[in-house]
Amino acid sequence: MNADLKQLIRLQAIDLSIQELRARIDKFPGISRALDEKLNTAQAGLDSAKEKAKSNQGNRKKLESEISALEGKISKYRDQMMAVKTNEEYRALQHEIEHTQSAIRKIEDDILNLMMDADTGLTDIKAAERQLKEDQHKVIAERTELAEQNKRDLSALESYLKERKDIEVSVSTDLISHYDRVRKHRGGIGVAAARNEVCEICQVRIRPQVFQEIRKNDQIIACDACQRILYNPENLDHPFEVA
């Protein structure tokens, strides 16, 4: 097999791996931020539930203070009733007492509603705490796996880049330049398999006599249409060359 062709096939496999690794590595910060946001959302849910419970308790205390104040007014009205001299004044004070008692009953209803809301709020807090704890466990596991994957990717990328440099110095500069130029303008593919007299990438038919030469894998032949360097995948020294 042509030595340069063999190296270019391997180089293409390396470049595709490098492309995949870099894409995954580039996503690492975004995925990490998404994990942070997941925890922030769960924490915000818990904080919101606690804030509602705190607000509920504050509102109840405020209403209870209002009841105390109204009960104080009733007590004063009753004291005044002991000193009135006319039925008209007595009835007026009695009316004020009834009106104040009605206001107290309304506030008591409001307090009862707040107490019911408080029970729901307690349930919400417990649910939010469970959700936060569950998300924390998941994020820790996901972050650990993500970090390990990123570490493997960085190591693999370093290894592939080193191998790429080794190949570059072993192949003629003109061939490397041709490969890189085509790869740059052809979606990252500079080397393509040829089957059944067709370039597998651009799908343009290859002349029969040229295809017969390509099948031997003993020379550098480029596709007339896309300029990718062609090879016969059924006549390789080692399967891993295109892995």
Side-chain angles (χ1 to χ4, degrees), residues 3-228:
D4 284 343
L5 180 59
K6 179 179 180 179
Q7 291 287 63
L8 288 173
I9 293 172
R10 178 58 185 164
L11 184 59
Q12 177 67 83
I14 290 172
D15 282 336
L16 289 176
S17 295
I18 288 174
Q19 181 178 315
E20 180 181 349
L21 286 169
R22 280 177 170 162
R24 197 155 58 220
I25 291 169
D26 288 344
K27 290 179 181 178
F28 175 78
I31 296 175
S32 183
R33 286 193 298 271
L35 292 176
D36 290 336
E37 186 59 33
K38 185 175 184 178
L39 286 184
N40 290 339
T41 298
Q43 184 64 58
L46 177 58
D47 292 343
S48 177
K50 287 183 176 180
E51 185 59 34
K52 287 181 180 178
K54 183 179 179 181
S55 177
N56 180 289
Q57 187 177 31
N59 289 335
R60 282 161 55 193
K61 287 183 177 180
K62 181 179 178 181
L63 293 177
E64 287 167 357
S65 296
E66 290 180 9
I67 288 178
S68 295
L70 291 173
E71 287 175 341
K73 289 177 67 176
I74 290 175
S75 180
K76 288 181 181 180
Y77 290 147
R78 285 176 174 162
D79 290 341
Q80 292 173 17
M81 290 174 70
M82 302 296 292
V84 296
K85 296 180 180 179
T86 65
N87 289 336
E88 191 173 310
E89 289 175 330
Y90 186 89
R91 284 195 296 271
L93 289 171
Q94 184 67 39
H95 175 74
E96 289 297 329
I97 291 174
E98 291 174 356
H99 177 74
T100 304
Q101 288 174 334
S102 177
I104 289 175
R105 286 194 294 272
K106 183 179 182 307
I107 294 174
E108 287 175 339
D109 288 341
D110 292 339
I111 291 176
L112 180 60
N113 289 331
L114 285 173
M115 291 176 66
M116 294 173 65
D117 289 342
D119 290 339
T120 301
L122 183 59
T123 300
D124 291 341
I125 289 175
K126 291 181 178 178
E129 288 175 338
R130 286 194 301 271
Q131 185 64 57
L132 177 59
K133 188 174 182 180
E134 180 181 333
D135 286 348
Q136 285 173 333
H137 286 311
K138 287 182 179 179
V139 165
I140 289 173
E142 290 176 20
R143 196 182 296 282
T144 299
E145 182 180 351
L146 181 66
E148 291 175 352
Q149 179 64 59
N150 190 61
K151 184 178 180 180
R152 291 194 297 270
D153 288 345
L154 289 171
S155 177
L157 177 61
E158 182 180 359
S159 178
Y160 279 133
L161 289 173
K162 181 180 182 303
E163 186 177 357
R164 192 184 200 286
K165 286 183 179 180
D166 293 340
I167 291 176
E168 283 182 329
V169 298
S170 70
V171 179
S172 71
T173 302
D174 289 344
L175 270 179
I176 290 294
S177 296
H178 175 88
Y179 165 79
D180 283 335
R181 183 172 60 255
V182 173
R183 187 172 64 89
K184 180 180 179 180
H185 295 94
R186 298 290 184 180
I189 306 295
V191 176
R195 297 180 192 271
N196 301 320
E197 299 185 2
V198 171
C199 170
E200 281 198 339
I201 303 299
C202 73
Q203 295 296 303
V204 171
R205 183 161 294 281
I206 303 167
R207 287 172 293 167
Q209 62 273 27
V210 174
F211 181 70
Q212 292 305 316
E213 293 301 318
I214 293 171
R215 291 185 63 189
K216 299 175 185 177
N217 283 342
D218 61 1
Q219 57 183 305
I220 302 298
I221 301 175
C223 175
D224 290 335
C226 67
Q227 295 302 304
R228 292 182 176 92

